[in-house]
Each structure stands twice: as C-alpha cells, then as structure tokens.
Amino acid sequence: MTVSTTAGWYLRRLSRMGPLEVAGRAGDTVRRRRWRAEPPHCPAVTGARFTAVLPAGTIAAIPPDAAKRLVAEADRLMDGHAEFFGVARDDLADPDWWWDPKTGRRAPGGYAFDVPYRSEDAAGDIKQIWEPSRHQYLTVLAAAYAITGDERYADRVAGHLRSWWEVNPPLHGVHWISGIELGIRLLSWVWIRRLLDDWAGAAGLFEDNPVARNQIWHHQRWLAAFPSRGSSANNHVIAETAGQFAAACAFGWFPSSARWRADALRSLDRQLRANTFLSGLNRELASEYHGLVLELGLAALAEADAADVPVPATVRLVLLRMTDALAAVVDDRLRPPRQGDADDGHGLVVDGAGTDRWGSLLATGDAVFGRLDWWPTVTGTDVRTPLLTALIRPYAKAQPSSKDQPSSQVQPPSGTGTAPAVTRPVTRPASRPAHFADAGMTILRSPAGIWCRCDGGPHGFLSIAAHAHADALSVEVRHDGVDVLADPGTFCYHGQPEWRQYFRSTLGHNTLQLDGADQSVSGGPFLWTRHARTRVLGTDTSDEGVNRWCAEHDGYQGSVHRRRVELTAATGELRVVDEVRGPRRAARLAFHLGPAITADLVENRAVLTWTRDGENRSAVLDLPGQLDWWAHRGESDPPLGWYSVGFGRKEPATTLVGTGFADSTAEFTTVLGFRD
C-alpha cells in the first residue's frame, strides 16, 4: 500500500473537503456500487453520420517542414518505437494496454473502481500504463494518413483501436478509473475520425461499428456521472468537460447527446473561469497545466465552431487572456516558467518531435485572436495550428491605434451562428505585462538577455493545492533562455515518495528554508494540509535602470521570511536580499543551477560557466558570507542536486547550499553578475 492510500491520508484528504463535496463523493460511491450490479447499457443507434470534417484545403495549408516532422514521427511509431516519460518502448506495433515497461508489472483486471491504481506494487507505474491509452500517438498516425494518403497509417490506427476496445470493455480495468484519461481519449477519437475521413474504412471503424459506439457512449456516460468535484476540480475537470463536449458535438448520435453537450459546455465555461486568474494565468500556478488547459479549451472551441454550437463569450475571453498571459511570461526562447508540477500532459497531439509546444500555442493564438505588438516572434511551424484554425472562427484583430490608447480591442467575429454575445470591446494589454498581481508572479527582464521570475503568489489552487510546490519567494533566472538559477522541476508523481517529496520541497527551490522544514505542510503526494500565505509588498518594473520586487510569507510559524530582488537593466546584475523576522533558527539557502552550468565554488563565490550557441558564457555568483557553502550534485540519500527536464527524467545538476542561522539581525545578500 502506498502512502497516499493509508487511513491517515484518507482522513487528511477528507479534512480538505466541504460538505457538498463529501455529499457528492458519497453519491459517487453509491453509483459505482449500483453500476457493478447493473451496468448501464448503450441505447440502439441508427443512421449515425460523422459531419464534423475539416474544410477543403486544410491539409494543403500545413507547412511542409511541419508535415515532414510529423511523418517522420509517424514512421517511428509504425516501427513500434516510442518514448513515454523517459522510458523507451519498442513494442508499440502491438502494445499490451495494461503493461508497465518501467516496473515490468501488469495492472490487474476486474471492476474498474476496485483496481488499486495508486499502488505501484500492485499495478505498476500508472502513468506509464495510462499514457499510450490517451491515443495521442494514434492522432499522429491519423494525421500522417491525412497528409500522405498512405493507408498503412490508417490500418494501424484501426487495428489499435479495435484491440483497445476489445481489451478494455466498459467499466473493466485500469483505463476506466480516471476522468481525465477518458476525456482526453474522447478528444483523440474525435480527431482520429476527422483525420481519417477520406479513408474508405472510417465509417466502418466508428459510426457503423457498434463496438465503437458502445465505447463512445460509455465514456460520455461515465464522465456525466463522475465529474471531478470540489477540491479536485482543477485541470482534470477541464479535460473531462472538453472531451465530453467534443464527443457530444462530433459524435452526437445518442438520445443524451444534446444534454451532454449542453451540460459539458456550461461546466467548461464555469471551470475555465474558475481555473484561471483574471490576468490570464492558470490558478494552479503550474506552467505546464496552463498549456494543457489552453490546448483543451482551444480544441473544445474548435468543436463548437465546427458543429455551429454557440459558446458563451466568456469561453473565448478566458482563452484570449490565457494566450496573452503566455505571450507575456515566456523568455527569449519562448520557454515559460518552470513553476509547480509538470507531467508532460497535452490536450491534442498532431505534431512530430522538435515542434515547439509554446510556439505552437502562440501561433494558434495569433490566428484566432491576433498577436499584439509586444508579443514575441514565433519562427517555427506546426501542424496543429492550421488544423484548429480551420475550424475556429477568429476574432477580428485590432491593435492600439496610438500610444495614448491603453489597450487593444477584440471584437467578436461578424456573421451568424457562433458569434459570442460580447456587449463591449475586450481590453488587451498595450505593453508586455511584467507583474500579475492575482497570481503573484513577476517577470523581471533586462536588455542583456536576463529573464527572472519572482514567486509571490498563492500556494496553489483549491484546498488541496494538488500541483503546488513549497516554493514561496523562489526565483528562477535565465540568460538567453539558458537556466542559470533553475527550478528543478517535478520528475515523478507516484511510486517514489522520497523523490516526489524532494522535487516539491522548499529545499528543492531557490529560496530559504528554516529548521529543515517546508514552508507549507504536505499531507500526501497531491495534498497540502497547511498553505504558506505570501504577499507581494512592492514591485517596480517601469524603471529602465533597476527593476525591483519585494515579498514575504508566513510559512515558518513564528518567523516571517522577506525577500527583495533587484535587476539592473543595463548590466543584468541581479541582487537578492533575504531577511528573517523572528527568533534565531537554523537556515539553509539553496541555489539550483541549470544542467548546462558548471560551477567552481571557492568559499562564498561561485564562478559559473556554460556554452550557448557555440559561445562560452560566464557569470559570478557572490553568496552570503554568513553561511557555509557547499556544492551538491546528483546525491540520492537524501536527494539533492538534480534537474528534471521532463516527467520521469532527471539528471545531475549542481545545487549550492549555504547553512547557518537566521534571525532578525541577519540579512543575506546574493549577487549574480553576468560577464560579457
């Protein structure tokens, strides 16, 4: 039994729920028991047709280089090769849908809600099992068919879907447990059917196939019955409602389709607003989930416009704000912050390796909403943008007409059908935002290529803050897109509790730790029982000489940690000053270096060197002299000195840790200076 399934965990989890959530979950339990005894049955369907096709000329508009990357990826998949979360597989020509290649274990069968999926000993690494069954690799193969007309790709897709449907009948096994998996899988099926539309076997695979109809109906029935509730209504509920809505639009063959579509759209509208700050940043304060939610929202919008289903104006408005926020926070290489959890989750995959996810989202945002003058330039290409924008009706594009105009205005599209009911223009930032007050995120920049994220925001989203890290007041610094002071990332969720704890700990971030404790208290791998409260005391990003930020948090009971950060624009020199107000306590101050950085530490000075685009770069990190400094790299007992480039992957990196004591008389000053 894993930590997350002990009796203590259940009590801690229950303590974070409100009465309505408890009642809803009790109802879910009753429904699961009833379905075990009397599983629901798919109604008979006649005359089903698929009409949500791509407009003529869409495939021809795909850039040749993006198409080439996609086909290369499809050929690799056809040979059976894939990689999921750092684990290479060569069995994808004929996959075992319940097998985990990481542990060598196979998930048990039986009634879905009885499967102990949280236990790696019993079911293997659940992420490794679930990921191929999102069928996003099949959307790649279907796109390769649409581009090339080669029926080998279509035949492989059909074979794998039929295999999956046979092995995973409704309510049986590990793939019927988690709503996010069902929602994303439905979205994949919609796009597979769309991309295979010219294939002679498409109708026989889907609408004329009773097995496929049964699967599609049961997926939607499941999602209608078991929505993520209350403290769990984060990115999961967006995936559930987006997948449900997409399927109800594109596969609207069932008596309940109209109701499912309406309910899912209402939920999607409500949950997009609930999951997003007014500034446009995702409330989970986990950058990759910002990308996931934006992808899901755009995909749902594409289905609405393809089916001529009116959507609330707030849906488009939230997606617009999310896109502008993404454009505002990325660095010079279009990389967003590495904040909070990241599990490499995508909403819709139709691109090959080497396609930039964030550039793709900004390209889609440009086509749908129109780029603003301050947006970064996107030079790469992708397949997904022309596919989505062939379906989404774009807003009219407008820019500020003068320096005196505070914002641009985005009007709804003209015409009939899905025109959103916007009664007044939507304001957009006239210049690149640097401080997002509601999210507590501030981005300091200098012309010297320095990008610095300062974290003064809430501790995650909802009562459990599932994807938050104990990272209050942490900083993240890059030079020309290279991680210098890095956020180490996430690495894992299940099965390796010591690594999960490290990557989300205070010591695992560029901030100050007192008495060896985290600022917020963890109750499990996706549960925080006490949240540090952080407030930003001041920001000044308008001064072309020095940009400033100051914030504090109360996570250490009896003491307050305050941090000031100053970035000199001309030189890129960064000054970080830490203060502790309270009694004398043991202190550790950590600075995690990116994997490309080599550090030569002598006493309290570290010379940092790295290479970028064939050029040697360097910086000097002057550390507080009151602390004793040591360099750590690739240590496992306990973990320290690691960087996770993606989920399931980690590599050694240098972490500089200073130890000593802090009280109200101490002031720790760190200066990072970049050399020409």
PDB file of all heavy atoms in Angstrom, residues 545-562:
ATOM      1  N   GLY A 545      16.320  51.646 -15.282  1.00  0.00           N
ATOM      2  CA  GLY A 545      17.603  51.440 -14.618  1.00  0.00           C
ATOM      3  C   GLY A 545      17.621  50.187 -13.778  1.00  0.00           C
ATOM      4  O   GLY A 545      18.428  49.280 -13.994  1.00  0.00           O
ATOM      5  N   VAL A 546      16.694  50.091 -12.776  1.00  0.00           N
ATOM      6  CA  VAL A 546      16.638  48.956 -11.864  1.00  0.00           C
ATOM      7  C   VAL A 546      15.186  48.535 -11.693  1.00  0.00           C
ATOM      8  O   VAL A 546      14.326  49.361 -11.351  1.00  0.00           O
ATOM      9  CB  VAL A 546      17.249  49.302 -10.489  1.00  0.00           C
ATOM     10  CG1 VAL A 546      17.168  48.096  -9.558  1.00  0.00           C
ATOM     11  CG2 VAL A 546      18.693  49.769 -10.632  1.00  0.00           C
ATOM     12  N   ASN A 547      14.916  47.261 -11.928  1.00  0.00           N
ATOM     13  CA  ASN A 547      13.600  46.690 -11.645  1.00  0.00           C
ATOM     14  C   ASN A 547      13.634  46.054 -10.271  1.00  0.00           C
ATOM     15  O   ASN A 547      14.621  45.401  -9.895  1.00  0.00           O
ATOM     16  CB  ASN A 547      13.224  45.647 -12.693  1.00  0.00           C
ATOM     17  CG  ASN A 547      13.002  46.257 -14.058  1.00  0.00           C
ATOM     18  OD1 ASN A 547      12.608  47.414 -14.174  1.00  0.00           O
ATOM     19  ND2 ASN A 547      13.248  45.483 -15.100  1.00  0.00           N
ATOM     20  N   ARG A 548      12.532  46.224  -9.506  1.00  0.00           N
ATOM     21  CA  ARG A 548      12.524  45.778  -8.115  1.00  0.00           C
ATOM     22  C   ARG A 548      11.281  44.964  -7.797  1.00  0.00           C
ATOM     23  O   ARG A 548      10.215  45.179  -8.380  1.00  0.00           O
ATOM     24  CB  ARG A 548      12.597  46.985  -7.178  1.00  0.00           C
ATOM     25  CG  ARG A 548      13.878  47.787  -7.286  1.00  0.00           C
ATOM     26  CD  ARG A 548      13.855  48.981  -6.345  1.00  0.00           C
ATOM     27  NE  ARG A 548      15.137  49.670  -6.314  1.00  0.00           N
ATOM     28  CZ  ARG A 548      15.488  50.625  -7.165  1.00  0.00           C
ATOM     29  NH1 ARG A 548      14.632  51.005  -8.123  1.00  0.00           N
ATOM     30  NH2 ARG A 548      16.675  51.200  -7.077  1.00  0.00           N
ATOM     31  N   TRP A 549      11.461  44.044  -6.848  1.00  0.00           N
ATOM     32  CA  TRP A 549      10.363  43.210  -6.353  1.00  0.00           C
ATOM     33  C   TRP A 549      10.628  42.884  -4.892  1.00  0.00           C
ATOM     34  O   TRP A 549      11.780  42.649  -4.493  1.00  0.00           O
ATOM     35  CB  TRP A 549      10.290  41.933  -7.177  1.00  0.00           C
ATOM     36  CG  TRP A 549       9.328  40.875  -6.702  1.00  0.00           C
ATOM     37  CD1 TRP A 549       8.007  40.774  -6.995  1.00  0.00           C
ATOM     38  CD2 TRP A 549       9.624  39.751  -5.862  1.00  0.00           C
ATOM     39  NE1 TRP A 549       7.459  39.658  -6.411  1.00  0.00           N
ATOM     40  CE2 TRP A 549       8.433  39.015  -5.712  1.00  0.00           C
ATOM     41  CE3 TRP A 549      10.786  39.300  -5.226  1.00  0.00           C
ATOM     42  CZ2 TRP A 549       8.376  37.852  -4.943  1.00  0.00           C
ATOM     43  CZ3 TRP A 549      10.725  38.136  -4.460  1.00  0.00           C
ATOM     44  CH2 TRP A 549       9.530  37.426  -4.333  1.00  0.00           C
ATOM     45  N   CYS A 550       9.578  42.862  -4.076  1.00  0.00           N
ATOM     46  CA  CYS A 550       9.719  42.510  -2.660  1.00  0.00           C
ATOM     47  C   CYS A 550       8.465  41.784  -2.208  1.00  0.00           C
ATOM     48  O   CYS A 550       7.336  42.191  -2.541  1.00  0.00           O
ATOM     49  CB  CYS A 550       9.931  43.769  -1.818  1.00  0.00           C
ATOM     50  SG  CYS A 550      10.156  43.440  -0.043  1.00  0.00           S
ATOM     51  N   ALA A 551       8.649  40.694  -1.452  1.00  0.00           N
ATOM     52  CA  ALA A 551       7.512  39.917  -0.956  1.00  0.00           C
ATOM     53  C   ALA A 551       7.926  39.189   0.319  1.00  0.00           C
ATOM     54  O   ALA A 551       9.120  39.098   0.653  1.00  0.00           O
ATOM     55  CB  ALA A 551       7.038  38.918  -2.011  1.00  0.00           C
ATOM     56  N   GLU A 552       6.925  38.653   1.033  1.00  0.00           N
ATOM     57  CA  GLU A 552       7.197  37.893   2.249  1.00  0.00           C
ATOM     58  C   GLU A 552       6.144  36.797   2.405  1.00  0.00           C
ATOM     59  O   GLU A 552       5.076  36.836   1.788  1.00  0.00           O
ATOM     60  CB  GLU A 552       7.187  38.803   3.472  1.00  0.00           C
ATOM     61  CG  GLU A 552       5.838  39.425   3.787  1.00  0.00           C
ATOM     62  CD  GLU A 552       5.883  40.378   4.984  1.00  0.00           C
ATOM     63  OE1 GLU A 552       6.996  40.863   5.309  1.00  0.00           O
ATOM     64  OE2 GLU A 552       4.812  40.644   5.570  1.00  0.00           O
ATOM     65  N   HIS A 553       6.466  35.796   3.244  1.00  0.00           N
ATOM     66  CA  HIS A 553       5.498  34.734   3.535  1.00  0.00           C
ATOM     67  C   HIS A 553       5.586  34.343   4.996  1.00  0.00           C
ATOM     68  O   HIS A 553       6.591  34.592   5.679  1.00  0.00           O
ATOM     69  CB  HIS A 553       5.725  33.514   2.634  1.00  0.00           C
ATOM     70  CG  HIS A 553       6.891  32.659   3.007  1.00  0.00           C
ATOM     71  ND1 HIS A 553       6.830  31.700   3.986  1.00  0.00           N
ATOM     72  CD2 HIS A 553       8.165  32.613   2.526  1.00  0.00           C
ATOM     73  CE1 HIS A 553       8.001  31.093   4.095  1.00  0.00           C
ATOM     74  NE2 HIS A 553       8.830  31.632   3.221  1.00  0.00           N
ATOM     75  N   ASP A 554       4.504  33.697   5.491  1.00  0.00           N
ATOM     76  CA  ASP A 554       4.394  33.328   6.905  1.00  0.00           C
ATOM     77  C   ASP A 554       4.462  31.823   7.117  1.00  0.00           C
ATOM     78  O   ASP A 554       3.993  31.314   8.129  1.00  0.00           O
ATOM     79  CB  ASP A 554       3.083  33.868   7.482  1.00  0.00           C
ATOM     80  CG  ASP A 554       1.849  33.193   6.859  1.00  0.00           C
ATOM     81  OD1 ASP A 554       2.021  32.396   5.903  1.00  0.00           O
ATOM     82  OD2 ASP A 554       0.726  33.451   7.327  1.00  0.00           O
ATOM     83  N   GLY A 555       5.054  31.096   6.169  1.00  0.00           N
ATOM     84  CA  GLY A 555       5.045  29.643   6.241  1.00  0.00           C
ATOM     85  C   GLY A 555       5.790  29.066   7.429  1.00  0.00           C
ATOM     86  O   GLY A 555       5.492  27.943   7.857  1.00  0.00           O
ATOM     87  N   TYR A 556       6.765  29.804   7.950  1.00  0.00           N
ATOM     88  CA  TYR A 556       7.513  29.328   9.116  1.00  0.00           C
ATOM     89  C   TYR A 556       6.889  29.956  10.354  1.00  0.00           C
ATOM     90  O   TYR A 556       7.130  31.131  10.653  1.00  0.00           O
ATOM     91  CB  TYR A 556       8.989  29.692   8.998  1.00  0.00           C
ATOM     92  CG  TYR A 556       9.636  29.099   7.775  1.00  0.00           C
ATOM     93  CD1 TYR A 556      10.193  29.908   6.789  1.00  0.00           C
ATOM     94  CD2 TYR A 556       9.681  27.723   7.604  1.00  0.00           C
ATOM     95  CE1 TYR A 556      10.788  29.361   5.668  1.00  0.00           C
ATOM     96  CE2 TYR A 556      10.271  27.163   6.479  1.00  0.00           C
ATOM     97  CZ  TYR A 556      10.819  27.990   5.515  1.00  0.00           C
ATOM     98  OH  TYR A 556      11.396  27.448   4.394  1.00  0.00           O
ATOM     99  N   GLN A 557       6.091  29.206  11.059  1.00  0.00           N
ATOM    100  CA  GLN A 557       5.334  29.749  12.174  1.00  0.00           C
ATOM    101  C   GLN A 557       6.270  30.355  13.207  1.00  0.00           C
ATOM    102  O   GLN A 557       7.221  29.728  13.660  1.00  0.00           O
ATOM    103  CB  GLN A 557       4.466  28.656  12.790  1.00  0.00           C
ATOM    104  CG  GLN A 557       3.398  28.150  11.819  1.00  0.00           C
ATOM    105  CD  GLN A 557       2.520  27.067  12.418  1.00  0.00           C
ATOM    106  OE1 GLN A 557       2.979  26.281  13.252  1.00  0.00           O
ATOM    107  NE2 GLN A 557       1.268  27.025  11.993  1.00  0.00           N
ATOM    108  N   GLY A 558       5.987  31.612  13.540  1.00  0.00           N
ATOM    109  CA  GLY A 558       6.843  32.347  14.468  1.00  0.00           C
ATOM    110  C   GLY A 558       7.884  33.189  13.777  1.00  0.00           C
ATOM    111  O   GLY A 558       8.541  34.010  14.425  1.00  0.00           O
ATOM    112  N   SER A 559       8.083  33.012  12.477  1.00  0.00           N
ATOM    113  CA  SER A 559       9.053  33.792  11.707  1.00  0.00           C
ATOM    114  C   SER A 559       8.433  34.185  10.368  1.00  0.00           C
ATOM    115  O   SER A 559       7.560  33.494   9.849  1.00  0.00           O
ATOM    116  CB  SER A 559      10.342  32.997  11.446  1.00  0.00           C
ATOM    117  OG  SER A 559      11.004  32.677  12.657  1.00  0.00           O
ATOM    118  N   VAL A 560       8.901  35.295   9.832  1.00  0.00           N
ATOM    119  CA  VAL A 560       8.484  35.757   8.515  1.00  0.00           C
ATOM    120  C   VAL A 560       9.720  35.874   7.640  1.00  0.00           C
ATOM    121  O   VAL A 560      10.718  36.488   8.030  1.00  0.00           O
ATOM    122  CB  VAL A 560       7.759  37.121   8.593  1.00  0.00           C
ATOM    123  CG1 VAL A 560       7.494  37.664   7.195  1.00  0.00           C
ATOM    124  CG2 VAL A 560       6.448  36.983   9.361  1.00  0.00           C
ATOM    125  N   HIS A 561       9.664  35.264   6.470  1.00  0.00           N
ATOM    126  CA  HIS A 561      10.753  35.377   5.502  1.00  0.00           C
ATOM    127  C   HIS A 561      10.384  36.458   4.488  1.00  0.00           C
ATOM    128  O   HIS A 561       9.330  36.396   3.857  1.00  0.00           O
ATOM    129  CB  HIS A 561      10.960  34.033   4.792  1.00  0.00           C
ATOM    130  CG  HIS A 561      11.957  34.098   3.671  1.00  0.00           C
ATOM    131  ND1 HIS A 561      11.933  33.229   2.593  1.00  0.00           N
ATOM    132  CD2 HIS A 561      13.022  34.927   3.447  1.00  0.00           C
ATOM    133  CE1 HIS A 561      12.921  33.516   1.770  1.00  0.00           C
ATOM    134  NE2 HIS A 561      13.587  34.544   2.255  1.00  0.00           N
ATOM    135  N   ARG A 562      11.263  37.447   4.358  1.00  0.00           N
ATOM    136  CA  ARG A 562      11.068  38.519   3.378  1.00  0.00           C
ATOM    137  C   ARG A 562      12.233  38.499   2.394  1.00  0.00           C
ATOM    138  O   ARG A 562      13.386  38.282   2.779  1.00  0.00           O
ATOM    139  CB  ARG A 562      10.980  39.880   4.067  1.00  0.00           C
ATOM    140  CG  ARG A 562      10.869  41.050   3.094  1.00  0.00           C
ATOM    141  CD  ARG A 562      10.683  42.374   3.814  1.00  0.00           C
ATOM    142  NE  ARG A 562       9.375  42.423   4.468  1.00  0.00           N
ATOM    143  CZ  ARG A 562       8.934  43.494   5.141  1.00  0.00           C
ATOM    144  NH1 ARG A 562       9.702  44.577   5.239  1.00  0.00           N
ATOM    145  NH2 ARG A 562       7.736  43.476   5.703  1.00  0.00           N
TER     146      ARG A 562
END
